[in-house]
Amino acid sequence: MSSTVVTGIGELVTCDGTTPDGLGLRHGAAVVVEDDRIVWVGSSSEAPAADRAVDVEGRAVLPGFVDSHAHLVFAGDRGDEFAARMAGTPYDGGGIGVSVAATRDASDDELRSLVAGRVAEMRAQGTTTVEIKSGYGLTVQDEARALRIAREFTPETTFLGAHVVPREYAGDRAAYLELVTGPMLEAAAPHARWVDVFCEPHSAHAFTEDEALAVLVAGRHAGLELRVHGNQLGHGPGVRLAVELGAASVDHCTYLSDADVEALAGAADTTVATLLPGVEFSTRSPYPDAAALLRAGVSIALATDCNPGTCYSSSMPFVIALAVREMGLTPGQAVLAATVGSAKSLRRTDIGRIEVGARADLTVLDAPSHVHLSYRAGVPIARALDL
């Protein structure tokens, strides 16, 4: 085993819950790492000896960001669609078919290279854990292929065969649902931890409540844990379905009724509301009130939803800044949602915080405080610390 002591930390943001704000801020601290685990946290003057030392020269150190919602296995470009949306064309999910065609045409090596580049881009901005979904293949072979490639980069892989109904099944939705819950699920399950569904009655391309229920029940029967795309384009059943089934996360939550908020608050220990403000930015949609959700007792997370159509951004610092500016969170609350909150949405306790026993996933800022993540929006001050 090799050990490293990280010293010279201007502000250590542990996110360990030991202070009333949850941030567990420390000053004059050091962290000792052995291999891939944190083994000691305390005052730098009391730090034990280690094989090597890394001096961050007064910079802030945080847990690595946890991006718990991303679609990275895709080919092609949808810049024209973004430009059209900025000119007033509404989003309804139909553009996903463009990415499906390009992804099916790409080779394994091409897709692997694209995913590697996107993961490296995320790490350069402080993300150390990423969840990766399938959903741009929508055939048995292509969905399994996407998950095999995703598994090379993360254990947090999600089968999203129920992303949209592909064009070749537009006239026979029932047949596609049978494919997703049968042969496609069977081929995908060995490479996935999670199953997800785009439950959205406001899109002709997505899935109804009954269809979504069938997908989630089949996925659970195959041994997968549950996630839900819900309430993105309007009020709908996604949140209620996720809570009733005990899904780990319901993502988007752009349109929430009082009953949805009450349900999420009642399920705060089991179901996280994962907010994706980059999507609201990229689709001109209203931002959910994250501060109100916290006041109601809802567990929240932040993620990028990096994808080719509705948010082609891999930047968790950008998401944090949006959450502060547009969703009512304090800088500290946004950091917690991007670390501890997102880890909770993945049902992980070994990431998203700096404490003994946690993974040695550290992010360093070229700044003295976590506040600079939103204070210096758009400036590349965050990066994963290589130890």
Side-chain angles (χ1 to χ4, degrees):
M1 290 191 298
S2 62
S3 60
T4 302
V5 58
V6 182
T7 62
I9 301 172
E11 176 187 82
L12 182 65
V13 187
T14 66
C15 297
D16 65 1
T18 57
T19 56
D21 62 4
L23 290 173
L25 297 183
R26 293 174 178 243
H27 296 88
V31 177
V32 178
V33 170
E34 285 186 0
D35 294 333
D36 64 349
R37 296 286 163 175
I38 296 169
V39 298
W40 186 90
V41 180
S43 170
S44 59
S45 63
E46 300 173 358
D51 298 324
R52 61 190 287 261
V54 174
D55 185 349
V56 297
E57 300 178 336
R59 293 174 173 84
V61 172
L62 300 82
F65 302 130
V66 180
D67 191 346
S68 57
H69 184 130
H71 306 248
L72 303 188
V73 189
F74 68 87
D77 182 88
R78 286 161 63 188
D80 289 347
E81 179 187 329
F82 174 80
R85 251 194 335 268
M86 293 302 100
T89 301
Y91 173 75
D92 70 352
I96 290 171
V98 175
S99 296
V100 169
T103 303
R104 289 176 178 177
D105 286 343
S107 70
D108 288 10
D109 286 343
E110 287 170 334
L111 289 177
R112 184 174 291 110
S113 177
L114 288 167
V115 176
R118 291 163 188 150
V119 170
E121 189 175 86
M122 289 177 159
R123 188 168 178 83
Q125 299 173 89
T127 295
T128 54
T129 301
V130 60
E131 179 259 16
I132 301 178
K133 303 179 189 294
S134 67
Y136 291 116
L138 307 187
T139 68
V140 172
Q141 177 181 348
D142 286 304
E143 286 295 292
R145 174 176 74 142
L147 289 164
R148 284 197 304 270
I149 291 170
R151 183 55 68 89
E152 296 175 17
F153 299 91
T154 181
E156 303 297 343
T157 53
T158 300
F159 169 50
L160 186 58
H163 199 182
V164 294
V165 177
R167 291 168 181 169
E168 62 266 30
Y169 283 92
D172 195 349
R173 296 175 63 92
Y176 185 65
L177 189 63
E178 289 181 8
L179 183 70
V180 170
T181 57
M184 191 183 291
L185 173 61
E186 183 178 357
H191 312 291
R193 180 185 175 196
W194 305 93
V195 62
D196 199 346
V197 59
F198 187 13
C199 179
E200 184 51 74
H202 298 274
S203 170
H205 311 283
F207 295 84
T208 66
E209 178 179 0
D210 289 344
E211 291 168 340
L213 177 62
V215 169
L216 294 169
V217 169
R220 173 175 280 168
H221 184 71
L224 304 181
E225 297 182 73
L226 311 186
R227 313 184 78 75
V228 177
H229 281 59
N231 299 60
Q232 178 184 358
L233 303 181
H235 293 283
V239 166
R240 176 173 49 79
L241 186 63
V243 170
E244 288 176 355
L245 292 178
S249 183
V250 54
D251 301 24
H252 287 291
C253 296
T254 308
Y255 294 90
L256 298 176
S257 66
D258 291 344
D260 290 330
V261 175
E262 183 178 354
L264 287 166
D269 290 339
T270 55
T271 302
V272 176
T274 298
L275 308 178
L276 310 169
V279 175
E280 278 75 54
F281 177 88
S282 299
T283 60
R284 295 192 186 277
S285 300
Y287 291 90
D289 189 340
L293 293 178
L294 284 182
R295 289 194 298 271
V298 176
S299 293
I300 68 168
L302 290 172
T304 64
D305 194 9
C306 181
N307 74 85
T310 58
C311 183
Y312 199 1
S313 173
S314 58
S315 176
M316 285 294 281
F318 174 60
V319 166
I320 288 170
L322 283 177
V324 172
R325 175 62 181 83
E326 303 289 352
M327 299 168 73
L329 296 184
T330 67
Q333 288 169 338
V335 166
L336 287 169
T339 54
V340 176
S342 286
K344 183 176 181 179
S345 84
L346 294 173
R347 293 186 171 157
R348 297 274 299 271
T349 59
D350 61 330
I351 56 176
R353 64 194 76 206
I354 297 174
E355 61 185 10
V356 172
R359 285 188 54 84
D361 294 341
L362 306 179
T363 283
V364 62
L365 306 183
D366 288 327
S369 163
H370 69 281
V371 174
H372 284 239
L373 284 164
S374 44
Y375 175 46
R376 302 198 71 208
V379 180
I381 62 171
R383 55 185 167 84
L385 187 59
D386 293 318
L387 296 174

